[in-house]
Amino acid sequence: MTTLAAETKYKNTQKTKDRIISIFIGFFALAWLFPIAWTLWTSLRPYSEVLMQGIFSIPTKVDLTNYREALNQMFMYRYFTNTLIVLVPVVVISLFFASSMAFVITKFNFKHNKQLLLLFTAGSLLPPQVIFLPIFKMYIIVGSWFGNKSMLYDNYLGLILIHIALQTGFATFILNSYLQTIPKEISEQAQVDGASVFQHYFMIVLPMMKAPILTLGILISTWVYNDFFWGFAMMKSDAIRPMSTALGRIGAFRQLIPDQGVLAAGSLIAALPLVILYLFLRKHFMSGIILGTVVKAK
């Protein structure tokens, strides 16, 4: 009886803990979803009606007018194209560099290979405000070599190079951790069979890194797409600014588009590509997260 009473008490205690945890999770979920719901509700109503009756009033009209206005007034197509021009080469090149460097560091023993890995990773951890001035000065020096000090300023190339440099270090660290879990016998067998370094990398190692590479691709796409600082610091011309920087400028200076319903619609349109990307690649993303957890546990 004593044992049964103890078990009953333990189960009741666990149920109480579970309820408390569920309440906290539900509270934070609502707190996280509330701004999104607020933005969506605002984007579907005329802003003049919201000003007169309040946000919690019953709407007389719910339509997609604000979304059409956002596409026209906020130049969403142009800014999205600018973002793709930066995003695609950054993701492809940084993942190629990271996977090849992780392959070399993991599969070939040479002096200071671990220190090289830490150096790559450390550069990704520095705040952008710390490294902005050295990078800007470096761009001026490199531009002066070609007779134009502003060659890398206010254009896509300069912004692409910055993102590649920042994203490659973190991606190298993650892929190196994953490659350490692959049995060495696979590489040894490839060498016995006479595979060259390029064949070893492209035909054996690279296909095995599909899941973590896709996961990193989603993460890097999110970081670059949402970046505001570098786009604002390195882009002067509004016509070539990426999405987040352009929308941040529009939101900061409300006189450009005073209609908050249009701004809310534009914000949701800007977030939509990342949502679609995640929905298409969510299975690979989850498998990559699981692999990363296994790597960390080992």
Side-chain angles (χ1 to χ4, degrees):
M1 293 297 293
T2 304
T3 304
L4 181 60
E7 291 180 357
T8 303
K9 182 179 180 181
Y10 174 77
K11 291 180 179 179
N12 292 334
T13 303
Q14 286 299 117
K15 288 182 180 179
T16 303
K17 291 181 180 179
D18 291 341
R19 291 193 188 98
I20 295 174
I21 293 174
S22 299
I23 291 172
F24 272 103
I25 293 176
F27 172 78
F28 285 113
L30 290 175
W32 185 82
L33 290 173
F34 179 76
I36 300 176
W38 183 290
T39 304
L40 178 62
W41 185 238
T42 303
S43 68
L44 295 173
R45 305 178 58 184
Y47 188 57
S48 57
E49 181 181 280
V50 175
L51 290 176
M52 293 177 60
Q53 303 179 14
I55 187 65
F56 296 107
S57 60
I58 299 176
T60 58
K61 181 181 180 182
V62 175
D63 56 23
L64 300 177
T65 301
N66 288 330
Y67 289 88
R68 290 193 295 268
E69 292 298 324
L71 291 173
N72 295 327
Q73 296 183 34
M74 300 176 70
F75 308 105
M76 303 294 292
Y77 296 113
R78 182 178 70 187
Y79 295 137
F80 182 69
T81 302
N82 296 342
T83 302
L84 287 181
I85 292 174
V86 175
L87 178 63
V88 173
V90 168
V91 173
V92 173
I93 296 174
S94 60
L95 287 178
F96 172 72
F97 283 169
S99 60
S100 57
M101 285 189 291
F103 168 70
V104 171
I105 293 173
T106 306
K107 300 303 178 182
F108 298 96
N109 292 322
F110 56 92
K111 190 175 182 180
H112 304 307
N113 60 340
K114 298 301 180 183
Q115 289 80 357
L116 180 63
L117 174 62
L118 293 176
L119 182 63
F120 278 124
T121 307
S124 304
L125 301 178
L126 294 173
Q129 294 83 357
V130 174
I131 60 178
F132 166 69
L133 186 59
I135 288 178
F136 191 76
K137 289 184 176 180
M138 181 181 67
Y139 273 15
I140 293 176
I141 295 173
V142 173
S144 63
W145 293 345
F146 295 91
N148 183 7
K149 291 184 178 181
S150 60
M151 182 183 70
L152 295 175
Y153 176 70
D154 196 29
N155 60 54
Y156 297 119
L157 179 60
L159 190 59
I160 290 172
L161 292 177
I162 288 176
H163 283 302
I164 290 175
L166 294 178
Q167 304 302 333
T168 300
F170 174 77
T172 302
F173 177 79
I174 297 299
L175 293 178
N176 173 76
S177 300
Y178 175 74
L179 285 178
Q180 289 179 355
T181 65
I182 298 177
K184 294 182 179 180
E185 289 76 11
I186 297 178
S187 298
E188 293 173 355
Q189 185 62 43
Q191 293 175 356
V192 171
D193 293 340
S196 65
V197 175
F198 292 101
Q199 290 174 329
H200 187 186
Y201 169 71
F202 284 105
M203 301 178 64
I204 298 175
V205 175
L206 198 58
M208 297 177 68
M209 292 193 293
K210 179 180 178 181
I213 283 177
L214 286 174
T215 303
L216 284 170
I218 296 174
L219 292 176
I220 293 174
S221 298
T222 303
W223 295 333
V224 175
Y225 190 90
N226 292 329
D227 171 69
F228 175 82
F229 179 85
W230 290 111
F232 181 80
M234 302 303 298
M235 293 289 196
K236 180 178 67 174
S237 303
D238 182 72
I240 63 173
R241 279 179 170 167
M243 181 76 75
S244 296
T245 304
L247 294 187
R249 184 189 62 82
I250 292 173
F253 302 98
R254 287 179 50 190
Q255 65 269 21
L256 296 177
I257 300 180
D259 193 324
Q260 295 297 297
V262 175
L263 289 175
S267 300
L268 293 176
I269 292 174
L272 188 60
L274 291 180
V275 175
I276 295 175
L277 177 66
Y278 173 77
L279 291 177
F280 274 103
L281 300 177
R282 64 185 185 278
K283 292 183 179 179
H284 299 289
F285 182 78
M286 294 307 299
S287 62
I289 293 295
I290 294 172
L291 284 172
T293 304
V294 173
V295 169
K296 185 177 181 180
K298 290 183 179 182

